[in-house]
Amino acid sequence: MTHHHLRPDALHTVWDNALPPALTVTSGDTVTLDTLDASGGGVARRVASGELGAPDDLRALILAGARAPLSGPRGHPLTGPLFVQGAQPGDALRIEILEVRTATWGWTGCRPDGIGLLDAALAAEGLRPHTHLWDLRAGTHADFRPGIRVPLAPFPGVIGVAPAAPGPHPTAPPRHVGGNMDVRQLVAGSTLWLPVEVPGALLSAGDLHAAQGDGEVSGTGIETDGQLTLRVHVEPQAGLTTPEFTTPTGGGQSRQWHATTGHHPDLMTAARIALRALLRRLESRGLSLEDAYVLASACVDLKISQIVDAPTYTVSAFLPLDIFREG
């Protein structure tokens, strides 16, 4: 079996089965993909231009990542596509995630007109555009501020194969062939199965997150450049209709959690109620509204607690209390 390395000059920002393959691999091969952050270097460019301030000890690292804007439609910068020899419609692509390595820094943002769960509601409360820069050099954790430390568990936010329908298709919505799923349990040691719809599958990935809560509530996790190493296999005529995976983790680890709940006939409204209550808890610890929102996106988990007590459903927001450090 062969190992391949695909660098970030093989990028695209849409799903399209007409895209030429950047690399051809054989079932059983491994490949390392160099990936760009979700902004395509945009945050680094903002630091370079002076629009966004950065801590002195991170500034040089961030400037090293500044690059010209990507051409083409706006979307997640994806490395690929990989043409997997022998993959045919009806097969499944089995992808072993062997290693996920982040860059030395990352970012999490929020804005009142973004895609976050509470953007519209918090805009009325004065939410301002905000970008938090993280130092990821420790590898196992990142300090949000003195006394708050978030554990890292990197994973690809986007991983998928080309759909059969003619493109181009935007990268933002997840699909039955994968894509922007933001499943934070797809860490190293996981295996993902994707249904193949076009010859060669045309696998692409990107949008690495150093950490994220279930829900990615502000619209971003800890976004970062990085490297993703995969082993790909073709499983003939697997009958798969949607992505499936095995994982060594169910999510974050903490000795204790504080959870707030939301109850409503609409699950999205219930989630918003639970999250707003949780942000108030963080604000009571001295965080600004913006800091509370981006910290929640990095580590707070939204869970459906019940969907059987119709007409009212329950969503809970879980805050890992181990992020708060004494002294």
Side-chain angles (χ1 to χ4, degrees), residues 75-119:
H76 295 88
L78 302 181
T79 305
L82 308 182
F83 185 97
V84 184
Q85 290 182 329
Q88 294 294 328
D91 296 345
L93 202 61
R94 173 163 55 94
I95 304 157
E96 298 176 67
I97 299 177
L98 303 179
E99 185 178 24
V100 188
R101 299 180 61 185
T102 73
T104 54
W105 69 280
W107 62 275
T108 306
C110 66
R111 63 181 194 269
D113 58 348
I115 61 172
L117 183 62
L118 288 178
D119 288 354

Side-chain angles (χ1 to χ4, degrees), residues 108 134 150-158 180-185 207-223 251-252 294-302:
T108 306
W134 302 81
V150 174
L152 302 184
F155 70 96
V158 179
N180 189 29
M181 299 183 290
D182 288 315
V183 176
R184 74 182 184 98
Q185 290 80 12
D207 186 33
L208 296 197
H209 295 175
Q212 180 202 288
D214 284 326
E216 197 182 14
V217 294
S218 80
T220 51
I222 300 182
E223 312 289 335
V294 298
L295 178 61
S297 205
C299 67
V300 167
D301 294 332
L302 291 180

Side-chain angles (χ1 to χ4, degrees), residues 147-327:
I148 303 179
R149 175 169 289 179
V150 174
L152 302 184
F155 70 96
V158 179
I159 182 167
V161 296
H169 304 278
T171 62
R175 294 178 169 82
H176 61 287
V177 288
N180 189 29
M181 299 183 290
D182 288 315
V183 176
R184 74 182 184 98
Q185 290 80 12
L186 288 176
V187 295
S190 301
T191 299
L192 172 67
W193 286 263
L194 296 173
V196 174
E197 290 197 343
V198 299
L202 298 179
L203 172 68
S204 300
D207 186 33
L208 296 197
H209 295 175
Q212 180 202 288
D214 284 326
E216 197 182 14
V217 294
S218 80
T220 51
I222 300 182
E223 312 289 335
T224 181
D225 294 350
Q227 284 190 334
L228 176 65
T229 300
L230 311 170
R231 182 180 291 118
V232 297
H233 309 263
V234 177
E235 294 191 355
Q237 297 305 302
L240 215 65
T241 59
T242 193
E244 301 180 13
F245 63 94
T246 62
T247 176
T249 178
Q253 302 297 318
S254 186
R255 291 166 297 178
Q256 193 172 21
W257 306 73
H258 184 98
T260 55
T261 63
H263 312 275
H264 197 275
D266 178 73
L267 276 172
M268 289 293 287
T269 302
R272 291 185 175 103
I273 293 169
L275 177 60
R276 187 63 189 96
L278 196 284
L279 296 188
R280 291 190 186 98
R281 280 287 174 180
L282 289 172
E283 289 176 282
S284 73
R285 289 178 174 265
L287 273 66
S288 68
L289 176 60
E290 292 78 15
D291 276 344
Y293 199 18
V294 298
L295 178 61
S297 205
C299 67
V300 167
D301 294 332
L302 291 180
K303 300 179 183 291
I304 298 175
S305 295
Q306 66 81 18
I307 56 171
V308 296
D309 298 332
T312 301
Y313 310 121
T314 300
V315 175
S316 300
F318 285 76
L319 171 69
L321 294 181
D322 279 7
I323 68 171
F324 300 105
R325 301 170 58 82
E326 300 295 333

